[in-house]
Each structure stands twice: as C-alpha cells, then as structure tokens.
Amino acid sequence: MTTAIFAGSFDPFTIGHKDIVERALPLFDKIVIGIGINQNKQPLFSIEERLAAIRAAFADEPRVAVESFDCLTIDFARRHKAQYLLRGVRRVADYEYEREMADANKELGGMETVLLFAQPQYTHISSSLVRDLYRHGYDITTYMV
Ligand code: ADP
C-alpha cells in the first residue's frame, strides 16, 4: 500500500490545497493530511477548526485521513508507514523552500517527496493571502473548501 503525507500549516486549508490532494489521489492508495502544530506561531484558525474543515471537505473520500501532529514531519510519516511526502509548488519561490525540505527529509528519513505543480488558476492562492483578507473583513469563501 502506498501512503503519502500531505503536511502543512493549512491555516486555512484552501481550494489550492484541496486541488493538490484530489490530483494526487490516483497516485497513492492513501493520503494522510497532517496539520503541523507550530508552537511559535499564533494561528488564525484553531487546530480543531482546521481539522473539522478539512475532514468535511473529504467526507466522501475514505482514502483521505486528516490528523494534527506535533513532531517532525518524517516522524509523523513513519508513524503512518508512509513512503512519500506530497507537496505543491506554485512558483519559483516555492521551489527553493521545497527543495531544501525535500533534501532534508530524504537525508533524515529516507523519504521521497512528490511535487505537483499548482494549476494556473490556483497559483496566487496562499493561506497568508486568505488570512490577510479575513483579518480585513473580506469574504474568503471563494478560497475555502
Ligand atoms: P507550510 O506551512 O508547510 O508551507 P502550507 O499550508 O502553506 O504549509 O502549504 C502546504 C503545501 O501546499 C506546500 O507544499 C505549499 O507549497 C502547497 N500549496 C499552498 N498553496 C497552494 C496552492 N494554491 N496550490 C498548490 N499548492 C499549494
């Protein structure tokens, strides 16, 4: 069984994130979406809110599980016996960071990273953009799952 971990902050989980998971489903038997708990950051949406929103978005997809985790991504991946880390790339700026993380996770945990390019209509969507809009009272529903 091939399992991939899609880990991130997902504060909040956007339609861009959902698109990555949906397009990756044909590649894996199971995808575990992991919400990483970052003690140093004050999130806009609580872990419980993020868990509930993502679980609702994949309620009809038994091959997707959603959990939060408070450890290194590779340890979370090991716990799930996952072979792959799934990530999305929107533009060159993402590439640098993803390359660094992929190299570290390969070295530390022997984990392969599978990158999918964002579809053009989602390349401008980021959690930080959605947080900014939300804080300033804008409607964010078009970006949410
Ligand atoms: P992190 O804090 O780990 O960067 P994010 O929640 O920001 O977590 O993103 C998780 C993954 O989803 C990253 O690989 C990121 O590049 C990707 N991603 C974020 N937004 C989009 C989008 N609109 N389209 C495709 N991939 C995206």
Side-chain angles (χ1 to χ4, degrees), residues 52-69:
I54 306 172
R55 282 185 179 141
F58 292 100
D60 296 332
E61 181 45 80
R63 295 193 296 125
V64 172
V66 190
E67 286 180 22
S68 60
F69 67 98

Side-chain angles (χ1 to χ4, degrees), residues 20 27 37 47 57 66 69 103 114 121 123 127 129 141 143:
I20 294 290
L27 307 176
I37 300 172
I47 289 289
V66 190
F69 67 98
D103 288 346
V114 174
Q121 66 269 36
T123 52
S127 297
L129 167 81
T141 49
Y143 300 116

